[in-house]
Structures are given as structure tokens and as C-alpha cells.
Amino acid sequence: MGFPALGIDLLSNSYALTAAACLYTSNIAWTVLYDMIYAHMDIKDDAKAGIKSIALKHDADTKKVLTGLAAVQIGLLAAAGTAAGAGPAFFIGSCGGAAVALGVMIKRVNLKSVKDCWWWFVNGCWITGGVISTGLATDYLLRLSKSEPEKAIST
């Protein structure tokens, strides 16, 4: 394969590459969001030890930062869906569901309670991941049901 073929391959797969890059970056935002909640479990120890953690740096504004990270995560998830040609089930189920799940978590998590932070850290990722996966699966199944069945090839 020469360089012209490589260029053609990259251009013909640009939507897939864009979707993958957006999805990957969305996952980074999601990871940082959950890590901030996890970091609040150790905030007292970090302060005593002189560790400059993300939780200490943004302590007063953590919920604003979490909201920003959630918006970035959902925006990139939607961009990945757009690049991949996803349908309404993905945008309503995955993006909308993630917005609701993350919004509820950010509103309800008590960042001063180790027990509460742990509960949301462990369960929040399953809730958010579950609605994203459900939206993806629903979109896929709807697309599959609308596609024409392949005709059997006679031998």
C-alpha cells in the first residue's frame, strides 16, 4: 500500500475515526468525573499530607467542575453518535439517559461523606454506563429490524 492508498483509506474512514476519537475522549471526561468523586473520599488525608489533589484544588467548586465534565462527556458522546450516523434511540437513550443519570448523581452526591462518595463512585458508573449501553443496543436493534433481510443464496 502506497501513500495515496493510505490517504484514501484515512479519508474513507474519517467518520469512523472521528466517532472513535470522540468516544475515547468522552470516556476520559467520564473517568475524570468519577475520579473527582473518588478523590473526595481522601480529601482530609490529602490536606493533612500536603498532597495537592484535584479534590482539594476544586473543593468549593467541585459540583460545577463535575457539571462541566458531564457536559463535555455527553457532548462528545453525541458527536460520536453523529459521526457514526446514530439514530434517535441513541441520542435519547444514551445521551439523554447519561444526562439524567449524571445530573441526578451530581445533585445528590454528598462530597463531604466518604460513604456517599463511595456509593456514587461504585454505582453511578453502572447506572450511567447502563443507560448509555441501553441506548446503543436499542439504536442497533432498531436499525437491524429496519434493514432488509439478506436473501438466501441458492447453490
Side-chain angles (χ1 to χ4, degrees):
M1 169 168 62
F3 286 113
L6 177 63
I8 290 169
D9 286 345
L10 287 174
L11 289 174
S12 66
N13 293 316
S14 64
Y15 291 116
L17 293 172
T18 301
C22 289
L23 191 58
Y24 182 76
T25 310
S26 173
N27 284 322
I28 292 171
W30 191 21
T31 302
V32 174
L33 187 154
Y34 279 95
D35 188 54
M36 280 191 79
I37 292 171
Y38 185 86
H40 272 271
M41 294 189 304
D42 300 327
I43 198 166
K44 291 176 185 172
D45 296 331
D46 291 348
K48 286 179 189 173
I51 297 171
K52 297 181 181 183
S53 70
I54 193 170
L56 279 172
K57 180 174 174 80
H58 299 289
D59 187 27
D61 297 318
T62 295
K63 290 206 176 191
K64 290 177 188 173
V65 174
L66 293 175
T67 301
L69 286 166
V72 168
Q73 189 234 335
I74 294 162
L76 287 165
L77 185 62
T82 300
F90 169 79
F91 292 102
I92 294 167
S94 294
C95 299
V100 170
L102 291 171
V104 167
M105 180 184 69
I106 292 167
K107 182 167 177 54
R108 289 192 173 184
V109 65
N110 178 359
L111 296 170
K112 304 297 181 199
S113 166
V114 172
K115 185 178 177 182
D116 202 49
C117 287
W118 177 251
W119 192 93
W120 283 105
F121 177 76
V122 170
N123 297 300
C125 64
W126 284 104
I127 296 166
T128 305
V131 296
I132 291 170
S133 297
T134 301
L136 281 166
T138 303
D139 187 65
Y140 174 75
L141 292 173
L142 287 171
R143 287 168 159 230
L144 189 62
S145 70
K146 290 178 184 175
S147 66
E148 289 185 41
E150 291 186 35
K151 301 198 181 198
I153 300 173
S154 302
T155 55

